Amino acid sequence: MREVPKQTVMAIKSYQNQAQLLVKNYLFADPFIPYTSILGGILACKVAYDLTQLISNFHSKTYPGLTKIQRVEWNNRGISTVHAIFISALSLYLVFWSNLFSDELAGLLVFRSSPLSTFGLGVSVGYFVSDLAMILWLYPSLGGIEYVIHHSLSGIAVAYSMFTGEAQLYTYMVLISEVTTPEINIRWYLDTAGMKRSTAYLINGIVIFLAWLVARVLLFGYMFYHVYLHYTQVIKMHIFGYILVFGVPAVLATMNLMWFGKIIKGVLKTLAKRQ
């Protein structure tokens, strides 16, 4: 093999160093993380949509026979599944395994943040913006007013926490609830594929019930209890952030309970049909 000239090697290394400096000093510099992460989240949604469409065309027997709007929803659920896996994994790590929000550290936990936690919220904002835009553009094909309310409140709360650094712990506690999204999407995929009477559909329904109970009912109760224990810190937040900490989770918790009632009815109905 012919050796690469030394000048060429040095030039390549120089460009690499310049690219690294650009990423470090601009794209991932603390002041720019919110903006680059939002754009990254929107781009990731586009990539997830296209990949879902591409993979489904070649590997799904159901997809080619769907209507145009069904295909859009199929691809859209691919986006929400990818986002849910990413943000729920990051949320579980930051809330329960990292020491970012530990009571043992000095300083008020309601004002703690890190480049990673801010980046994760930015990606989530990008997702909520993209998904809400699709819901409104095709309204009400991808979801009714409850989805508009859910995405609007979630997007505002997450964006506020990202830009200000306030209450990121409670924001991530709420975002753990996204762990139920893949199961909900699988249920829709199975239903669309005509597998509503399958064992997989029944098992998925039970998993939804358990995941919803833990992540969207019990965990919300724990979050409100945590806010109560740390109220002396919460009261020091900006009034808008203070309202969001109480208002948004309360509305979402109410919606979660309403949906949980429907899930219970659905599971009982499915079990009754199998007897």
Side-chain angles (χ1 to χ4, degrees), residues 6-24:
K6 189 175 181 180
Q7 282 186 323
T8 303
V9 174
M10 293 181 65
I12 293 173
K13 288 184 177 180
S14 176
Y15 283 122
Q16 287 178 337
N17 291 333
Q18 291 178 25
Q20 290 174 355
L21 287 173
L22 175 65
V23 172
K24 182 178 180 181

PDB file of all heavy atoms in Angstrom, residues 6-24:
ATOM      1  N   LYS A   6       2.649  12.910   4.435  1.00  0.00           N
ATOM      2  CA  LYS A   6       2.592  13.488   5.781  1.00  0.00           C
ATOM      3  C   LYS A   6       1.757  14.761   5.812  1.00  0.00           C
ATOM      4  O   LYS A   6       1.026  15.025   6.763  1.00  0.00           O
ATOM      5  CB  LYS A   6       4.018  13.775   6.263  1.00  0.00           C
ATOM      6  CG  LYS A   6       4.100  14.187   7.732  1.00  0.00           C
ATOM      7  CD  LYS A   6       5.534  14.335   8.173  1.00  0.00           C
ATOM      8  CE  LYS A   6       5.589  14.719   9.644  1.00  0.00           C
ATOM      9  NZ  LYS A   6       7.005  14.878  10.104  1.00  0.00           N
ATOM     10  N   GLN A   7       1.843  15.539   4.754  1.00  0.00           N
ATOM     11  CA  GLN A   7       1.075  16.792   4.691  1.00  0.00           C
ATOM     12  C   GLN A   7      -0.426  16.513   4.683  1.00  0.00           C
ATOM     13  O   GLN A   7      -1.208  17.225   5.315  1.00  0.00           O
ATOM     14  CB  GLN A   7       1.451  17.590   3.433  1.00  0.00           C
ATOM     15  CG  GLN A   7       2.771  18.335   3.557  1.00  0.00           C
ATOM     16  CD  GLN A   7       3.011  19.207   2.335  1.00  0.00           C
ATOM     17  OE1 GLN A   7       2.667  18.824   1.210  1.00  0.00           O
ATOM     18  NE2 GLN A   7       3.600  20.367   2.543  1.00  0.00           N
ATOM     19  N   THR A   8      -0.803  15.443   3.975  1.00  0.00           N
ATOM     20  CA  THR A   8      -2.222  15.074   3.906  1.00  0.00           C
ATOM     21  C   THR A   8      -2.732  14.642   5.271  1.00  0.00           C
ATOM     22  O   THR A   8      -3.824  15.024   5.689  1.00  0.00           O
ATOM     23  CB  THR A   8      -2.432  13.941   2.885  1.00  0.00           C
ATOM     24  OG1 THR A   8      -1.941  14.346   1.617  1.00  0.00           O
ATOM     25  CG2 THR A   8      -3.918  13.594   2.772  1.00  0.00           C
ATOM     26  N   VAL A   9      -1.922  13.836   5.963  1.00  0.00           N
ATOM     27  CA  VAL A   9      -2.294  13.382   7.303  1.00  0.00           C
ATOM     28  C   VAL A   9      -2.460  14.559   8.241  1.00  0.00           C
ATOM     29  O   VAL A   9      -3.431  14.638   9.008  1.00  0.00           O
ATOM     30  CB  VAL A   9      -1.238  12.403   7.858  1.00  0.00           C
ATOM     31  CG1 VAL A   9      -1.546  12.048   9.310  1.00  0.00           C
ATOM     32  CG2 VAL A   9      -1.175  11.143   7.011  1.00  0.00           C
ATOM     33  N   MET A  10      -1.538  15.499   8.191  1.00  0.00           N
ATOM     34  CA  MET A  10      -1.599  16.680   9.056  1.00  0.00           C
ATOM     35  C   MET A  10      -2.818  17.537   8.725  1.00  0.00           C
ATOM     36  O   MET A  10      -3.459  18.099   9.619  1.00  0.00           O
ATOM     37  CB  MET A  10      -0.311  17.493   8.918  1.00  0.00           C
ATOM     38  CG  MET A  10       0.929  16.785   9.465  1.00  0.00           C
ATOM     39  SD  MET A  10       2.434  17.775   9.311  1.00  0.00           S
ATOM     40  CE  MET A  10       2.047  19.141  10.414  1.00  0.00           C
ATOM     41  N   ALA A  11      -3.129  17.627   7.434  1.00  0.00           N
ATOM     42  CA  ALA A  11      -4.294  18.423   7.021  1.00  0.00           C
ATOM     43  C   ALA A  11      -5.583  17.792   7.531  1.00  0.00           C
ATOM     44  O   ALA A  11      -6.489  18.494   8.010  1.00  0.00           O
ATOM     45  CB  ALA A  11      -4.334  18.546   5.496  1.00  0.00           C
ATOM     46  N   ILE A  12      -5.656  16.432   7.436  1.00  0.00           N
ATOM     47  CA  ILE A  12      -6.846  15.727   7.928  1.00  0.00           C
ATOM     48  C   ILE A  12      -7.006  15.937   9.429  1.00  0.00           C
ATOM     49  O   ILE A  12      -8.101  16.204   9.922  1.00  0.00           O
ATOM     50  CB  ILE A  12      -6.753  14.225   7.592  1.00  0.00           C
ATOM     51  CG1 ILE A  12      -6.835  14.017   6.074  1.00  0.00           C
ATOM     52  CG2 ILE A  12      -7.861  13.447   8.302  1.00  0.00           C
ATOM     53  CD1 ILE A  12      -6.595  12.584   5.639  1.00  0.00           C
ATOM     54  N   LYS A  13      -5.901  15.802  10.172  1.00  0.00           N
ATOM     55  CA  LYS A  13      -5.945  16.005  11.624  1.00  0.00           C
ATOM     56  C   LYS A  13      -6.354  17.431  11.974  1.00  0.00           C
ATOM     57  O   LYS A  13      -7.074  17.673  12.943  1.00  0.00           O
ATOM     58  CB  LYS A  13      -4.587  15.687  12.237  1.00  0.00           C
ATOM     59  CG  LYS A  13      -4.257  14.201  12.261  1.00  0.00           C
ATOM     60  CD  LYS A  13      -2.938  13.950  12.976  1.00  0.00           C
ATOM     61  CE  LYS A  13      -2.659  12.454  13.057  1.00  0.00           C
ATOM     62  NZ  LYS A  13      -1.366  12.181  13.747  1.00  0.00           N
ATOM     63  N   SER A  14      -5.892  18.383  11.160  1.00  0.00           N
ATOM     64  CA  SER A  14      -6.246  19.782  11.399  1.00  0.00           C
ATOM     65  C   SER A  14      -7.744  20.001  11.238  1.00  0.00           C
ATOM     66  O   SER A  14      -8.379  20.668  12.063  1.00  0.00           O
ATOM     67  CB  SER A  14      -5.486  20.686  10.418  1.00  0.00           C
ATOM     68  OG  SER A  14      -5.893  22.039  10.569  1.00  0.00           O
ATOM     69  N   TYR A  15      -8.322  19.411  10.178  1.00  0.00           N
ATOM     70  CA  TYR A  15      -9.769  19.530   9.957  1.00  0.00           C
ATOM     71  C   TYR A  15     -10.551  18.843  11.077  1.00  0.00           C
ATOM     72  O   TYR A  15     -11.596  19.333  11.518  1.00  0.00           O
ATOM     73  CB  TYR A  15     -10.145  18.931   8.600  1.00  0.00           C
ATOM     74  CG  TYR A  15      -9.803  19.820   7.428  1.00  0.00           C
ATOM     75  CD1 TYR A  15      -8.959  19.371   6.414  1.00  0.00           C
ATOM     76  CD2 TYR A  15     -10.320  21.109   7.331  1.00  0.00           C
ATOM     77  CE1 TYR A  15      -8.634  20.187   5.335  1.00  0.00           C
ATOM     78  CE2 TYR A  15      -9.996  21.925   6.263  1.00  0.00           C
ATOM     79  CZ  TYR A  15      -9.153  21.460   5.266  1.00  0.00           C
ATOM     80  OH  TYR A  15      -8.841  22.276   4.207  1.00  0.00           O
ATOM     81  N   GLN A  16     -10.049  17.687  11.546  1.00  0.00           N
ATOM     82  CA  GLN A  16     -10.707  16.975  12.641  1.00  0.00           C
ATOM     83  C   GLN A  16     -10.717  17.820  13.906  1.00  0.00           C
ATOM     84  O   GLN A  16     -11.730  17.904  14.604  1.00  0.00           O
ATOM     85  CB  GLN A  16     -10.001  15.637  12.897  1.00  0.00           C
ATOM     86  CG  GLN A  16     -10.253  14.586  11.837  1.00  0.00           C
ATOM     87  CD  GLN A  16      -9.493  13.305  12.107  1.00  0.00           C
ATOM     88  OE1 GLN A  16      -8.472  13.302  12.806  1.00  0.00           O
ATOM     89  NE2 GLN A  16      -9.969  12.199  11.546  1.00  0.00           N
ATOM     90  N   ASN A  17      -9.578  18.450  14.194  1.00  0.00           N
ATOM     91  CA  ASN A  17      -9.486  19.298  15.383  1.00  0.00           C
ATOM     92  C   ASN A  17     -10.433  20.488  15.287  1.00  0.00           C
ATOM     93  O   ASN A  17     -11.078  20.869  16.268  1.00  0.00           O
ATOM     94  CB  ASN A  17      -8.050  19.790  15.573  1.00  0.00           C
ATOM     95  CG  ASN A  17      -7.096  18.664  15.961  1.00  0.00           C
ATOM     96  OD1 ASN A  17      -7.525  17.674  16.550  1.00  0.00           O
ATOM     97  ND2 ASN A  17      -5.819  18.818  15.647  1.00  0.00           N
ATOM     98  N   GLN A  18     -10.516  21.065  14.090  1.00  0.00           N
ATOM     99  CA  GLN A  18     -11.413  22.201  13.886  1.00  0.00           C
ATOM    100  C   GLN A  18     -12.871  21.781  14.056  1.00  0.00           C
ATOM    101  O   GLN A  18     -13.671  22.508  14.645  1.00  0.00           O
ATOM    102  CB  GLN A  18     -11.196  22.805  12.505  1.00  0.00           C
ATOM    103  CG  GLN A  18      -9.848  23.510  12.329  1.00  0.00           C
ATOM    104  CD  GLN A  18      -9.663  24.061  10.923  1.00  0.00           C
ATOM    105  OE1 GLN A  18     -10.638  24.337  10.231  1.00  0.00           O
ATOM    106  NE2 GLN A  18      -8.423  24.198  10.500  1.00  0.00           N
ATOM    107  N   ALA A  19     -13.201  20.595  13.532  1.00  0.00           N
ATOM    108  CA  ALA A  19     -14.572  20.085  13.665  1.00  0.00           C
ATOM    109  C   ALA A  19     -14.905  19.820  15.133  1.00  0.00           C
ATOM    110  O   ALA A  19     -16.008  20.131  15.596  1.00  0.00           O
ATOM    111  CB  ALA A  19     -14.733  18.805  12.853  1.00  0.00           C
ATOM    112  N   GLN A  20     -13.950  19.247  15.877  1.00  0.00           N
ATOM    113  CA  GLN A  20     -14.167  18.982  17.292  1.00  0.00           C
ATOM    114  C   GLN A  20     -14.363  20.270  18.079  1.00  0.00           C
ATOM    115  O   GLN A  20     -15.216  20.351  18.968  1.00  0.00           O
ATOM    116  CB  GLN A  20     -12.997  18.184  17.862  1.00  0.00           C
ATOM    117  CG  GLN A  20     -12.934  16.743  17.369  1.00  0.00           C
ATOM    118  CD  GLN A  20     -11.681  16.018  17.827  1.00  0.00           C
ATOM    119  OE1 GLN A  20     -10.803  16.610  18.445  1.00  0.00           O
ATOM    120  NE2 GLN A  20     -11.601  14.732  17.511  1.00  0.00           N
ATOM    121  N   LEU A  21     -13.569  21.277  17.747  1.00  0.00           N
ATOM    122  CA  LEU A  21     -13.712  22.569  18.416  1.00  0.00           C
ATOM    123  C   LEU A  21     -15.058  23.207  18.101  1.00  0.00           C
ATOM    124  O   LEU A  21     -15.692  23.824  18.963  1.00  0.00           O
ATOM    125  CB  LEU A  21     -12.572  23.510  17.991  1.00  0.00           C
ATOM    126  CG  LEU A  21     -11.186  23.201  18.569  1.00  0.00           C
ATOM    127  CD1 LEU A  21     -10.128  24.109  17.932  1.00  0.00           C
ATOM    128  CD2 LEU A  21     -11.191  23.389  20.088  1.00  0.00           C
ATOM    129  N   LEU A  22     -15.496  23.061  16.840  1.00  0.00           N
ATOM    130  CA  LEU A  22     -16.793  23.610  16.440  1.00  0.00           C
ATOM    131  C   LEU A  22     -17.913  22.968  17.246  1.00  0.00           C
ATOM    132  O   LEU A  22     -18.804  23.663  17.764  1.00  0.00           O
ATOM    133  CB  LEU A  22     -17.025  23.371  14.944  1.00  0.00           C
ATOM    134  CG  LEU A  22     -18.403  23.776  14.403  1.00  0.00           C
ATOM    135  CD1 LEU A  22     -18.592  25.280  14.503  1.00  0.00           C
ATOM    136  CD2 LEU A  22     -18.556  23.327  12.956  1.00  0.00           C
ATOM    137  N   VAL A  23     -17.869  21.633  17.360  1.00  0.00           N
ATOM    138  CA  VAL A  23     -18.896  20.915  18.107  1.00  0.00           C
ATOM    139  C   VAL A  23     -18.850  21.294  19.583  1.00  0.00           C
ATOM    140  O   VAL A  23     -19.885  21.560  20.214  1.00  0.00           O
ATOM    141  CB  VAL A  23     -18.707  19.390  17.945  1.00  0.00           C
ATOM    142  CG1 VAL A  23     -19.644  18.637  18.887  1.00  0.00           C
ATOM    143  CG2 VAL A  23     -18.973  18.980  16.507  1.00  0.00           C
ATOM    144  N   LYS A  24     -17.647  21.325  20.150  1.00  0.00           N
ATOM    145  CA  LYS A  24     -17.491  21.588  21.581  1.00  0.00           C
ATOM    146  C   LYS A  24     -17.835  23.026  21.946  1.00  0.00           C
ATOM    147  O   LYS A  24     -18.513  23.280  22.948  1.00  0.00           O
ATOM    148  CB  LYS A  24     -16.061  21.270  22.011  1.00  0.00           C
ATOM    149  CG  LYS A  24     -15.809  21.467  23.506  1.00  0.00           C
ATOM    150  CD  LYS A  24     -14.385  21.088  23.869  1.00  0.00           C
ATOM    151  CE  LYS A  24     -14.136  21.297  25.358  1.00  0.00           C
ATOM    152  NZ  LYS A  24     -12.738  20.944  25.745  1.00  0.00           N
TER     153      LYS A  24
END
